[in-house]
Amino acid sequence: AQKVTQAQTEISVVEKEDVTLDCVYETRDTTYYLFWYKQPPSGELVFLIRRNSFDEQNEISGRYSWNFQKSTSSFNFTITASQVVDSAVYFCALITNAGKSTFGDGTTLTVKP
Amino acid sequence: GAVVSQHPSRVICKSGTSVKIECRSLDFQATTMFWYRQFPKQSLMLMATSNEGSKATYEQGVEKDKFLINHASLTLSTLTVTSAHPEDSSFYICSARTGTSDTQYFGPGTRLTVL
């Protein structure tokens, strides 16, 4: 069985603050992929990042950064200097090599001006 | 690149009617397409996986006779909700994946309301 836990249901920050969204996963597969998606109020899911289980290198893309720690089965997402447009629901997802996908329950981020 | 479209974006129908939702990969060939359902303020639940030219694989608890999936080409998959009832009202999202990458690209979703 596999599971993705996003312990933070809702987070509220003030613009320009940094915020970290947590994601912890469980799987018995040795090969898997981790994803973060953003779902703004419009509903469309926007792909943010994909990481495979053999690549623990952290990544930075503009104000976004991701910290993959295989030892703790975590794949956390940090937004630096948050903006109002970052307000959305963020989903962490685990997809195995066989294609089975499991999504976390999502974290609703609200960035206030 | 990697654009997935869905049509219609929103549909309202009467109870007992059937509704077809289309999912298209616009700029790539999708060997595998996925259908998800999302209730308000909840996560995505995978309903079924379809590979081009073969029968869809349904997740446990999903009625295959109620949610008919056809993946007739590498760019098109359809989900037909048959004899829709109010409890079928939901946000249906498709995603598509190429054969060489495991990234799933999602469509914008279809909001179905059954009266």
Side-chain angles (χ1 to χ4, degrees), chain A residues 24-92:
Chain A
V24 175
Y25 62 92
E26 295 175 29
T27 180
R28 292 179 186 160
D29 286 60
T30 54
T31 302
Y32 52 87
Y33 302 84
L34 295 164
F35 296 80
W36 275 96
Y37 290 92
K38 174 182 180 180
Q39 187 176 40
S42 60
E44 182 169 358
L45 277 155
V46 178
F47 164 74
L48 296 179
I49 190 170
R50 165 182 177 239
R51 261 288 171 268
N52 72 55
S53 51
F54 298 107
D55 182 4
E56 285 193 73
Q57 191 172 12
N58 293 325
E59 184 161 334
I60 297 175
S61 176
R63 296 185 297 107
Y64 295 169
S65 63
W66 291 270
N67 185 322
F68 178 24
Q69 298 270 348
K70 207 167 177 180
S71 60
T72 56
S73 298
S74 65
F75 186 43
N76 296 337
F77 171 33
T78 297
I79 302 175
T80 304
S82 60
Q83 299 176 1
V84 173
V85 293
D86 295 328
S87 297
V89 181
Y90 290 86
F91 289 97
C92 178

Side-chain angles (χ1 to χ4, degrees), chain A residues 33 35 37 39 42-47 50 91 95-101 103-106, chain B residues 4 34 36 38 41-44 46 49 59 91 93 97 101-109:
Chain A
Y33 302 84
F35 296 80
Y37 290 92
Q39 187 176 40
S42 60
E44 182 169 358
L45 277 155
V46 178
F47 164 74
R50 165 182 177 239
F91 289 97
I95 300 179
T96 66
N97 208 31
K100 181 167 177 60
S101 61
F103 280 75
D105 289 337
Chain B
V4 177
F34 305 84
Y36 294 84
Q38 185 182 31
K41 298 189 185 299
Q42 293 188 25
S43 187
L44 282 72
L46 180 64
T49 302
E59 294 299 301
F91 193 51
I93 308 174
R97 182 183 77 181
S101 166
D102 286 289
T103 298
Q104 291 185 29
Y105 295 95
F106 286 81

Side-chain angles (χ1 to χ4, degrees), chain B residues 36-70:
Chain B
Y36 294 84
R37 185 173 180 176
Q38 185 182 31
F39 290 106
K41 298 189 185 299
Q42 293 188 25
S43 187
L44 282 72
M45 297 298 295
L46 180 64
M47 298 174 66
T49 302
S50 74
N51 292 296
E52 185 263 339
S54 61
K55 289 185 178 180
T57 303
Y58 290 80
E59 294 299 301
Q60 193 171 11
V62 178
E63 299 175 59
K64 59 181 69 175
D65 293 332
K66 181 163 188 62
F67 299 100
L68 301 178
I69 292 172
N70 185 289

Side-chain angles (χ1 to χ4, degrees), chain B residues 28-40:
Chain B
F28 67 100
Q29 293 187 325
T31 53
T32 308
M33 287 185 167
F34 305 84
W35 286 96
Y36 294 84
R37 185 173 180 176
Q38 185 182 31
F39 290 106

